[in-house]
Amino acid sequence: MRSAQCRRRARKALATLAATGYSAGSTASTHMMPPLTKSLLIANVVVFLLQQALGDSFTALLALWPLGSGEFMPWQLVTYAFAHASLTHIGFNMYGLWMFGSELERVWGPRRLAVFYFASVLTAAIAQLAVSALLGSDAPTLGASGGLFGLLVGFAMLFPQRRIVLLIPPIPMPAWVFVTLYGAIELTLGVTGTQAGVAHFAHLGGLLGGWLVIRYWRGQPPFGSGR
């Protein structure tokens, strides 16, 4: 009788863990940061330290410049995502990279996460270049936010019911609701020109890129057979 009750309690506990998206039977390795996420964090921190040591000229080489600025170089389509404007900028981005990147890497592994992350970085860059050309802007873009927004949509698509708690205000909500609202806010801010100095369309480009990659892997429209 006692063993039967234990089994029922164990099954109930497993069901509860599955409903929240966490893995039962986790070991110490589950709580360790996965290798690609760790490498991306280290690379971003190293680049930020180099920015502080080498100054604005080094940052200018990495930043994504508009096509008509005379400063654009092909490598900037990737390097801009490793440079940051301030300690707060890199701090928030790395927190998001750790939180969402770790979860996705545990499901996908490092190779698939790398493809997903850098696809989001590239689509964010393309979106920003297109909008900069349309508006005639000559301001550079930097930061991992485009890749982070890709991770956000990836997290929401894999774990739509996982609860995310905002820092301000501390309101818990399902991941899919959080990402939908965040995307709507970014679109509104981008179209209205509110909060100048933030690359809202790069964020939206990262969201779109991440969404398209997962749709491609799943064989969903606008793509064909699954991958």
Side-chain angles (χ1 to χ4, degrees):
M1 181 66 177
R2 186 171 298 175
S3 61
Q5 288 178 340
C6 290
R7 285 196 295 270
R8 283 197 296 271
R9 289 174 183 172
R11 284 196 295 268
K12 186 176 180 181
L14 287 171
T16 302
L17 287 168
T20 58
Y22 289 98
S23 174
S26 60
T27 61
S29 62
T30 305
H31 300 286
M32 294 174 62
M33 193 181 303
L36 178 64
T37 302
K38 182 188 292 186
S39 297
L40 288 172
L41 280 167
I42 292 172
N44 276 272
V45 171
V46 168
V47 169
F48 184 72
L49 293 175
L50 288 173
Q51 287 179 255
Q52 309 315 302
L54 301 178
D56 292 343
S57 59
F58 177 70
T59 300
L61 288 174
L62 304 179
L64 179 66
W65 290 88
L67 295 174
S69 66
E71 302 287 340
F72 173 77
M73 292 294 175
W75 63 74
Q76 296 168 1
L77 291 168
V78 174
T79 58
Y80 83 96
F82 290 90
H84 290 83
S86 67
L87 188 60
T88 302
H89 190 201
I90 189 174
F92 276 107
N93 279 348
M94 294 305 98
Y95 177 73
L97 175 60
W98 165 74
M99 184 163 60
F100 299 110
S102 296
E103 293 281 2
L104 293 176
E105 187 172 355
R106 290 186 183 109
V107 176
W108 287 337
R111 290 186 180 181
R112 179 156 281 208
L113 179 65
V115 170
F116 182 82
Y117 181 77
F118 286 107
S120 300
V121 166
L122 286 172
T123 54
I126 292 168
Q128 185 63 24
L129 289 176
V131 171
S132 295
L134 184 64
L135 300 179
S137 171
D138 59 356
T141 301
L142 45 79
S145 300
L148 175 57
F149 271 74
L151 296 178
L152 275 172
V153 76
F155 184 88
M157 293 177 77
L158 264 66
F159 310 108
Q161 299 305 321
R162 182 80 68 85
R163 294 279 171 174
I164 294 178
V165 181
L166 299 174
L167 293 176
I168 303 174
I171 301 174
M173 63 184 71
W176 74 268
V177 174
F178 173 79
V179 172
T180 301
L181 289 176
Y182 209 163
I185 291 170
E186 286 292 322
L187 180 60
T188 301
L189 294 176
V191 170
T192 60
T194 311
Q195 200 177 10
V198 178
H200 299 293
F201 287 101
H203 298 170
L204 291 170
L207 276 175
L208 177 62
W211 180 78
L212 287 173
V213 169
I214 292 184
R215 300 282 292 185
Y216 175 73
W217 285 343
R218 292 177 175 177
Q220 296 172 326
F223 304 103
S225 59
R227 294 293 185 268

